Amino acid sequence: MVFKPSKQYKAECPQKIASGKSVLPKGWQSEEGFMPLPCEIVVEKDVRVKMRDGVEICVDVFRPKTDDKVPVLISWSPYGKDNGTRPSYKSLFAMIGIPDSKLSGLQKFEGSDPAYWCAHGYAVCNPDSRGITKSGGTIYTIGSHEAQDGYDLIEWLAVQEWCNGKVALSGTSYLAFSQWFIASEQPPHLAAINPEEGLSDAYRDLISRGGITDVGFAARIQFSQAHEGDPVQWEDLAAEGLKYPLYDNALWRDKTAHPERITCPAYVVASYSNTLHTMGTFRAWRAIPDGKKWIRIHDGQEWPDFYTAEHIEDRRKFFDHFLKGINNGWEDILTVRYSLHDFEGGNITGIMAESFPPAGVTYEKLYLDGITRTLNDNQGGSDFPVKYDAEGVITLASFLYTANERTEIVGYPKVKLWLEAEGHDDMDVYISLYKLDRNGNMLQQFVIPNHCARNHDLTERGGSILRYRGSTGRLRVSMRHLDDEKSTPEIPYHSFDRVEKLKEGEIVPVEIEMYPTGLILYPCEQLRLVVSATDEAGSMMPGTSPAKPNNKGKHVIHCGGSYDSYLQLPFKR
């Protein structure tokens, strides 16, 4: 692990709630414009909780003023429980279209709002994880240290005199992927989890997607990690990504979740469009043992989805059942609710199914034709290579498929390509799958409510997490080795533990995992498969630089004959 001295914590505005125990009256506002509290809330601020090794972390607990014992929801992350609410993120939420009036300002960033949950008979715990602000110890990012601390906090909360012994985890992004790690430790009093959009493998989902080192966003999420007082040790995840580019050590194994060990009920929320979280969320959901697990696949971005009234009520139905024992029909809901995008204002959401992909899906191969630049049911009789200059003006090649009837594509796409590098010993290959209207125009959609000019600017050449253009994939060809035990015919899984450089004239097969998708094609509309030397989508978040590809010379795609290059799609006709 790589450590540096922590940053100095600086509060962005004076805190309106003093340390210790107090009661916030009904109607109290954290700041003008925010939601007034709908009920009295008991606040226990800066409570110190001892971990198994003696280190104490600092937490805030919000609970309803009642003599009844209540369950508690935890919002676990290294984002400060004080700076993570109204002062820091007021403009950020407004930018994507969440008005301040929807929230009280007491919620931890990306976490549950105490105003709503206390009014419905729940407590909310906002911890500062180890080393953050007033909490003791070293600041760690993702892995077993957080998992064990989360376990200890759950067990401490469960025996408080006001708690009914039922504890749950909820939240988006970091507050989601921490749940895979904590729940895999199987805390006895963890009654349920509700992860919405969170990576599950720090290497594959964050540091080195497709084996291409990309630490820009890792450095960004660490920006808010700071300690109050003298500096403590702070783990530099971005530096670790640069130092250890292969998945061949204990560091990355420790930062890979084990959702197959999760035993409590799980209500997972995902989307196809989140270029940071989609892969990890679906991978974790697949790994959780069958039984008490549900997934809802929405058609927007995680923040507005998490804070939409309809979805909060849906989440409460889940928690009411498993934390309060209310027989409200939750377990009668089918395992899967999924969405279909059409990019033309006709998205369909809430489609019920017993599995994902749903019944009726068949995987079909569309072969690349180098002569016509089309995608066809039949493989060409002879090899016709397609070539582009990785350092030139046109750094890509594309292939088209035309729909003859209304067609649904729902499940896990992938591509297999036979590739050759001319003038270099490696290739970074980026895959994009676009939908074109009947006039050949590329279709896309914002996944946030705010479509202002500034958001057009922010997503024009990046910010892919906010504007959806279709399924993507990427791979460094020297990292093409597949893990045969974990790969399936639908989803390739790369070991990323070795480097296999290309020799001059060598033609190698590669399989590239693509983001799951749900898409409607209407008659005469097209799919455009793009193979590129550059990342067409750009960076995941606005203001973050994308990875720099390791490309030189020319890329050659071999199509036809003995080279079965194809796009495999999950069709539901």
Side-chain angles (χ1 to χ4, degrees), residues 226-435:
H227 184 73
E228 188 172 282
D230 295 333
V232 298
Q233 288 287 92
W234 166 73
E235 183 187 4
D236 190 338
L237 182 63
E240 290 170 346
L242 296 174
K243 186 174 181 178
Y244 304 111
L246 296 180
Y247 187 85
D248 63 349
N249 56 65
L251 173 71
W252 299 127
R253 288 192 293 273
D254 185 70
K255 297 183 187 299
T256 301
H258 291 280
E260 70 277 4
R261 300 174 186 169
I262 294 174
T263 56
C264 67
Y267 174 24
V268 179
V269 182
S271 72
Y272 311 119
S273 57
N274 193 315
T275 43
L276 174 60
H277 296 145
T278 293
M279 287 290 204
T281 306
F282 276 88
R283 189 188 311 113
W285 176 76
R286 292 194 302 268
I288 296 173
D290 290 335
K292 295 186 186 303
K293 71 173 182 179
W294 293 262
I295 188 169
R296 178 174 61 83
I297 306 165
H298 63 93
D299 66 339
Q301 197 266 348
E302 63 195 48
W303 294 342
D305 185 86
F306 187 77
Y307 292 116
T308 295
E310 174 189 356
H311 301 143
I312 296 172
E313 291 292 309
D314 190 55
R315 189 156 64 248
R316 181 163 68 92
K317 186 176 182 179
F318 169 72
F319 286 138
D320 278 353
H321 183 66
F322 289 109
L323 275 68
K324 293 186 174 182
I326 297 174
N327 186 12
N328 56 15
W330 175 268
E331 294 197 64
D332 297 329
I333 296 174
L334 291 183
T335 303
V336 174
R337 288 174 280 174
Y338 70 94
S339 298
L340 292 172
H341 290 261
D342 79 344
F343 297 108
E344 299 174 78
N347 290 359
I348 305 172
T349 61
I351 306 168
M352 296 285 194
E354 294 182 348
S355 63
F356 186 87
V361 166
T362 57
Y363 281 89
E364 301 177 23
K365 294 181 175 68
L366 299 176
Y367 294 93
L368 279 62
D369 187 317
I371 299 175
T372 63
R373 291 289 196 93
T374 55
L375 298 165
N376 302 312
D377 295 334
N378 299 313
Q379 185 176 340
S382 59
D383 178 25
F384 191 93
V386 174
K387 184 183 300 188
Y388 58 83
D389 188 342
E391 301 174 283
V393 176
I394 301 175
T395 60
L396 53 83
S398 61
F399 303 81
L400 296 176
Y401 167 82
T402 303
N404 296 317
E405 59 184 359
R406 185 188 183 279
T407 305
E408 295 177 5
I409 300 170
V410 53
Y412 301 98
K414 78 169 184 180
V415 294
K416 178 183 177 182
L417 301 173
W418 287 85
L419 297 174
E420 177 187 1
E422 290 185 358
H424 195 37
D425 60 2
D426 210 345
M427 306 167 66
D428 286 351
V429 177
Y430 298 86
I431 306 297
S432 301
L433 186 62
Y434 299 131
K435 177 183 173 179

Side-chain angles (χ1 to χ4, degrees), residues 360-532:
V361 166
T362 57
Y363 281 89
E364 301 177 23
K365 294 181 175 68
L366 299 176
Y367 294 93
L368 279 62
D369 187 317
I371 299 175
T372 63
R373 291 289 196 93
T374 55
L375 298 165
N376 302 312
D377 295 334
N378 299 313
Q379 185 176 340
S382 59
D383 178 25
F384 191 93
V386 174
K387 184 183 300 188
Y388 58 83
D389 188 342
E391 301 174 283
V393 176
I394 301 175
T395 60
L396 53 83
S398 61
F399 303 81
L400 296 176
Y401 167 82
T402 303
N404 296 317
E405 59 184 359
R406 185 188 183 279
T407 305
E408 295 177 5
I409 300 170
V410 53
Y412 301 98
K414 78 169 184 180
V415 294
K416 178 183 177 182
L417 301 173
W418 287 85
L419 297 174
E420 177 187 1
E422 290 185 358
H424 195 37
D425 60 2
D426 210 345
M427 306 167 66
D428 286 351
V429 177
Y430 298 86
I431 306 297
S432 301
L433 186 62
Y434 299 131
K435 177 183 173 179
L436 311 181
D437 69 15
R438 61 182 61 231
N439 297 313
N441 300 303
M442 190 183 89
L443 300 174
Q444 55 189 305
Q445 71 175 80
F446 279 108
V447 291
I448 55 175
N450 188 354
H451 305 163
C452 68
R454 182 166 179 260
N455 286 341
H456 277 274
D457 299 344
L458 291 173
T459 58
E460 187 66 27
R461 298 182 184 87
S464 57
I465 198 171
L466 305 179
R467 186 158 27 163
Y468 185 43
R469 294 174 169 90
S471 178
T472 62
R474 60 169 67 181
L475 184 68
R476 177 160 289 171
V477 174
S478 62
M479 305 277 268
R480 65 190 176 276
H481 182 265
L482 292 173
D483 184 325
D484 292 333
E485 291 186 2
K486 295 183 178 180
S487 294
T488 69
E490 298 78 30
I491 306 172
Y493 188 91
H494 298 89
S495 63
F496 296 131
D497 60 354
R498 66 199 71 184
V499 175
E500 299 174 311
K501 295 287 189 177
L502 296 172
K503 300 173 184 176
E504 186 68 29
E506 183 180 14
I507 303 170
V508 298
V510 301
E511 293 190 24
I512 302 177
E513 178 186 14
M514 297 182 68
Y515 281 65
T517 192
L519 181 66
I520 305 171
L521 275 183
Y522 300 109
C524 299
E525 292 187 328
Q526 293 180 309
L527 293 176
R528 180 182 176 221
L529 176 69
V530 178
V531 183
S532 177

Side-chain angles (χ1 to χ4, degrees), residues 177-239:
F177 61 76
S178 62
Q179 295 181 51
W180 312 123
F181 290 85
I182 296 171
S184 68
E185 294 287 312
Q186 301 178 2
H189 289 94
L190 180 60
I193 61 172
N194 168 228
E196 174 150 353
E197 307 249 22
L199 60 87
S200 57
D201 182 325
Y203 181 90
R204 287 174 173 79
D205 300 332
L206 180 63
I207 292 295
S208 189
R209 292 182 297 150
I212 301 171
T213 302
D214 183 358
V215 300
F217 191 69
R220 183 168 176 171
I221 65 172
Q222 295 179 141
F223 180 76
S224 62
Q225 298 176 6
H227 184 73
E228 188 172 282
D230 295 333
V232 298
Q233 288 287 92
W234 166 73
E235 183 187 4
D236 190 338
L237 182 63

